[in-house]
Amino acid sequence: MEKRPVGRFAPTPSGRMHLGNVFAALLSWLSPKSRGGDWILRMEDLDTLRTKAEYAELLRDDLRWLGLDWDLETEAQSLRSAVYDRYFEELKEKNLLFPCYCTRSQLHNVNAPHLSDGTYVYAGTCRNLTEAQRAEKKRLPSWRVMVPDREFALTDLIQGDYRENLLTDRGDFVVRRADGVYVYQLAVTVDDGESGVTEVVRGWDLLGSAPRQMYLQELFGFRHPEYAHIPMLMAPEGRRLSKRNQDLDMGALRTRLKPEQLIGVLAHAAGLTETAAPISAVELATVFDWAKIEGRTEIVVTELDTLYR
Ligand code: GLU
């Protein structure tokens, strides 16, 4: 028997929800709800400079307005450093961590191989420093986890096959910053693992994070979830509907539309329905199927005009 699905939505409360976030929330809700599963909400507020409690409250209010009810809200990440400490110590005991003293400019050195998304491959500079060399350093280190020379592969429900050799494509990556704050990769792995998440549905921009998270899942003894990375929303004329479209944030959308109208437009764009007719999230769950979305590299919001009426 298939395991009871557990999905989640893990927004960063750093502003009002935008059309793209609404779409991610909707799909992450539909997938488990169409199969009698649960949906968890979690605030990813590690970046305390950008996130605010009032944005988290607005997010909850926007989700309720959309009719996306959550079964459980797990503890916000900013409250969980003691939990992350335990996993960090576990890695340390396994001798998988090392302190890294590189400055930002050393890391982004023009000689370092760069990935297409602008990030660099860590050259292993601080991996083999001796204790004496470490003692000479005058700055607080970040902590990196050593990665194996091995491919991590997944079959994404939308994007298909994706693989990365962690050593040659990424290099050892940071799990705790020099100021003691844990990074997204560690926190998300611990939180998804501890809450029994079976599927991760989120924006396409995080596809490249999945192999690192799969490696940490392996180290911590968590099962790999299924992944679905959602393509970027596009306007009919080929323009990206980015966060800069302020007129497509929930503050504006809610003044112009009913939730069923907004969901109807998104469902149609995703290929879930034949028309953009209004539909509730609950009704949409009865026709939801990943096979209808699979293989899409772009999602064009053909009925974009409707969102401005
Ligand atoms: N907190 C991330 C965001 O808002 C999502 C992380 C995830 O879903 O894994 O973009």
Side-chain angles (χ1 to χ4, degrees):
M1 211 183 79
E2 198 199 9
K3 232 180 130 209
R4 184 183 169 85
V6 181
R8 50 57 149 198
F9 181 52
T12 300
S14 57
R16 195 76 189 256
M17 271 177 111
H18 179 266
L19 193 64
N21 311 122
V22 173
F23 192 48
L26 178 65
L27 290 181
S28 72
W29 183 92
L30 286 168
S31 176
K33 288 296 163 186
S34 63
R35 290 172 293 140
D38 288 338
W39 191 59
I40 293 174
L41 176 63
R42 174 177 77 235
M43 296 298 162
E44 298 213 322
D45 57 353
L46 284 171
D47 183 351
T48 48
L49 292 178
R50 278 198 316 135
T51 57
K52 288 202 183 92
E54 63 210 66
Y55 287 135
E57 204 33 69
L58 274 170
L59 251 153
R60 292 184 196 98
D61 192 61
D62 287 338
L63 293 174
R64 279 186 215 107
W65 181 85
L66 286 161
L68 304 179
D69 295 323
W70 53 99
D71 297 278
L72 174 72
E73 178 169 355
T74 57
E75 203 172 30
Q77 292 187 330
S78 60
L79 304 172
R80 284 172 59 78
S81 44
V83 177
Y84 306 140
D85 280 342
R86 287 208 311 271
Y87 288 88
F88 179 81
E89 288 306 321
E90 191 181 320
L91 296 179
K92 216 171 178 182
E93 275 160 31
K94 289 181 176 158
N95 287 320
L96 285 169
L97 297 184
F98 63 89
C100 174
Y101 301 88
C102 293
T103 60
R104 196 174 281 264
S105 62
Q106 280 171 315
L107 294 170
H108 288 274
N109 185 312
V110 282
N111 296 322
H114 278 63
L115 300 173
S116 54
D117 62 2
T119 53
Y120 58 88
V121 178
Y122 181 67
T125 319
C126 294
R127 205 195 237 224
N128 296 313
L129 294 182
T130 62
E131 279 309 322
Q133 286 170 316
R134 284 176 187 161
E136 281 168 17
K137 302 284 181 186
K138 295 282 179 285
R139 57 202 316 265
L140 283 174
S142 61
W143 286 83
R144 288 181 185 266
V145 61
M146 284 182 221
V147 298
D149 184 5
R150 175 150 66 83
E151 277 199 339
F152 285 78
L154 64 129
T155 302
D156 190 90
L157 291 171
I158 304 174
Q159 315 275 345
D161 290 338
Y162 182 77
R163 59 186 65 238
E164 268 183 21
N165 176 308
L166 281 186
L167 189 69
T168 54
D169 295 335
R170 292 281 164 190
D172 304 327
F173 61 90
V174 175
V175 289
R176 200 175 82 181
R177 298 192 329 209
D179 61 5
V181 176
Y182 286 100
V183 307
Y184 161 70
Q185 307 294 355
L186 182 123
V188 80
T189 306
V190 168
D191 291 352
D192 285 342
E194 285 200 345
S195 42
V197 163
T198 62
E199 50 179 69
V200 167
V201 179
R202 61 188 175 195
W204 63 279
D205 53 318
L206 289 167
L207 180 60
S209 287
R212 278 170 284 175
Q213 293 169 18
M214 290 171 75
Y215 172 49
L216 292 177
Q217 286 153 12
E218 206 177 278
L219 294 176
F220 296 145
F222 295 128
R223 277 168 166 249
H224 297 315
E226 289 220 79
Y227 286 101
H229 288 89
I230 308 164
M232 167 93 80
L233 295 179
M234 310 286 286
E237 69 275 14
R239 175 172 55 89
R240 289 177 160 201
L241 293 175
S242 69
K243 283 192 183 162
R244 283 187 291 275
N245 297 93
Q246 296 259 322
D247 50 357
L248 290 177
D249 82 13
M250 279 294 262
L253 291 169
R254 282 177 64 167
T255 63
R256 298 196 287 257
L257 302 160
K258 292 198 170 44
E260 292 79 11
Q261 289 174 302
L262 177 53
I263 292 173
V265 168
L266 290 174
H268 180 55
L272 294 172
T273 49
E274 299 286 315
T275 71
I279 187 167
S280 71
V282 170
E283 271 174 279
L284 187 57
T286 64
V287 297
F288 178 81
D289 186 355
W290 280 119
K292 295 182 182 167
I293 306 179
E294 192 192 333
R296 296 215 171 188
T297 49
E298 278 186 358
I299 291 194
V300 181
V301 185
T302 43
E303 310 291 328
L304 190 63
D305 287 354
T306 316
L307 303 183
Y308 288 97
R309 267 184 242 144

